[in-house]
Amino acid sequence: MLALLGAAAAAAQVAPQRNSSPPQVLTWEQVKDRFVLNNPTLLADKLNIDESRAQEITAFLRPNPTFSMSLDGIQIAPDKGVWRPFAGAFETPSISYLHERRHKRELRLESQKKGTLIAESNHADMQRTMLFTLRSVFVSTLQAKAVLQLAKDNLVYYDHVLKISKDRYDAGDIAQIDLDRLELQRVQYESDLQLAEENLENAKIQLLTLLNSRTPIDQLDVVGPYDFVDELMPRDEFRKIALDTRPDLKAAVQAVDKARTDHKLAIANGSTDPTLSAWYTHNSSNNNPFGLNTVGVSVSIPFRIFDRNQGEKLRTQLDITHNERLREAAEAGVLSDVDSSYATVESDLVLLRPYKAKYLQQAVRVRDTITFSYQHGGASLLDFLNAQAEYRSVELNYANLVGSYLTAAAQLNEAVGREVIQ
């Protein structure tokens, strides 16, 4: 009976472990794909493209014909004792249609199609800027993981040192005050660990928010290279790619093209559009005594004497110049973004190279040497604690510098308009 109860208790303890699923481990490409598919802000902005395409239908619609019906010649009072109210009545159904000249419909459609292209470029630009935000959060998550692992390794190493120090204390090799100071120093490593766990959790929360995901925090993990690439293309290569790729610059160029089409449309709208009408009359009163059933046609042409759409013609002409200036400003902004982000990446590389080539190895060597010397009575407690602090500082600075580099690389990708640094 006791054996059965023990087996049941063991099964109850194992069951939750079987039910708990492993965390989702996402790469950058997977995170990016989920973001594009699920982010509500991005999806809402994408509807602007569909709305613009719907307006293309409206822009190409023809004017509706107009139908009218008139009835005349109804006798309303007796005359000379005769009252035949409908004997001389005649009915006239008619239809009229406004004929648009100078390719107005085609120009309206062309203008709206170019507006759709601008909407697509604006959406691509919004996706570009939001992907930079996503990439920054992704890098922050990787950075928090790296710092957390560093904090865990430091705590494990320090616990090993504490164990040796306790053995030395038990052997009478060090004083109680030295052991107390060593144990008090462990608080700093515990604080580092707690802060790293909190930062990782906050980074995951931001990532889940951007992905519009309800996944539990502990069920999400990301993976990716957390290192820097020493090779960097020349600045002019990034400038050229940016001028060919940036969607906001494309939108500025497309706005100039649309403004020219709008000016053509304004000129066309200043032309005269005739209204064509036709009607049929039964029992008409005309000079033909046999004209019982007749038809008639008419053409109505307004005189464009005062209103020739002068104001809209001038406004659209000025709008061309306005958009050309905006295109020049957008191009200058693109080059400025590339130069600024390129300088940041270069600066981070200048700091990272000596860390990887020299400082990391030196910090490990100094820590291990001072630790060995302290454990064998050749170094003071203060030297040992300083060496530990210096090692922690160098390792943490390097981890943060790598994160800063990856963020700067993401910013350079954003400035260029596509991922040129993975």
Side-chain angles (χ1 to χ4, degrees), residues 16-66:
Q17 297 177 359
R18 291 179 178 176
N19 293 332
S20 61
S21 58
Q24 302 178 27
V25 182
L26 303 178
T27 64
W28 164 241
E29 292 299 327
Q30 291 172 326
V31 168
K32 184 169 62 173
D33 292 342
R34 292 194 180 196
F35 172 78
V36 173
L37 290 175
N38 300 318
N39 184 266
T41 303
L42 201 60
L43 294 176
D45 185 75
K46 190 176 181 180
L47 292 176
N48 291 332
I49 302 174
D50 298 330
E51 292 176 1
S52 184
R53 289 199 181 102
Q55 291 174 354
E56 292 177 14
I57 300 172
T58 304
F60 201 57
L61 291 176
R62 298 177 182 273
N64 288 321
T66 302

Side-chain angles (χ1 to χ4, degrees), residues 1-196:
M1 185 65 180
L2 291 175
L4 291 175
L5 290 176
Q13 292 177 355
V14 173
Q17 297 177 359
R18 291 179 178 176
N19 293 332
S20 61
S21 58
Q24 302 178 27
V25 182
L26 303 178
T27 64
W28 164 241
E29 292 299 327
Q30 291 172 326
V31 168
K32 184 169 62 173
D33 292 342
R34 292 194 180 196
F35 172 78
V36 173
L37 290 175
N38 300 318
N39 184 266
T41 303
L42 201 60
L43 294 176
D45 185 75
K46 190 176 181 180
L47 292 176
N48 291 332
I49 302 174
D50 298 330
E51 292 176 1
S52 184
R53 289 199 181 102
Q55 291 174 354
E56 292 177 14
I57 300 172
T58 304
F60 201 57
L61 291 176
R62 298 177 182 273
N64 288 321
T66 302
F67 174 79
S68 63
M69 181 72 179
S70 64
L71 183 64
D72 198 4
I74 299 175
Q75 183 183 7
I76 61 174
D79 183 27
K80 297 179 182 180
V82 178
W83 186 37
R84 298 172 60 194
F86 296 103
F90 62 93
E91 61 276 4
T92 306
S94 65
I95 189 168
S96 61
Y97 178 72
L98 176 68
H99 174 65
E100 292 186 302
R101 299 171 56 246
R102 302 284 296 273
H103 307 290
K104 292 183 178 68
R105 289 176 56 243
E106 290 78 6
L107 286 172
R108 284 199 302 269
L109 178 60
E110 181 183 348
S111 175
Q112 189 55 47
K113 282 186 174 181
K114 290 177 178 178
T116 302
L117 292 177
I118 294 174
E120 290 174 350
S121 296
N122 287 335
H123 176 70
D125 189 57
M126 181 180 186
Q127 181 171 319
R128 174 184 69 91
T129 56
M130 293 190 70
L131 279 176
F132 167 68
T133 303
L134 179 70
R135 180 71 174 181
S136 299
V137 174
F138 183 82
V139 169
S140 297
T141 308
L142 291 179
Q143 182 177 353
K145 285 183 62 179
V147 173
L148 177 61
Q149 186 60 48
L150 178 61
K152 288 180 178 179
D153 293 342
N154 287 339
L155 186 59
V156 170
Y157 181 87
Y158 197 77
D159 283 341
H160 175 68
V161 172
L162 276 181
K163 182 178 183 303
I164 296 176
S165 299
K166 288 178 180 178
D167 293 341
R168 291 181 63 194
Y169 170 75
D170 293 339
D173 194 24
I174 62 174
Q176 177 69 51
I177 186 63
D178 290 340
L179 181 62
D180 291 342
R181 292 179 65 184
L182 287 170
E183 291 179 342
L184 286 174
Q185 188 64 24
R186 191 180 189 277
V187 174
Q188 183 62 51
Y189 292 93
E190 293 174 347
S191 300
D192 291 346
L193 180 61
Q194 184 61 38
L195 181 60

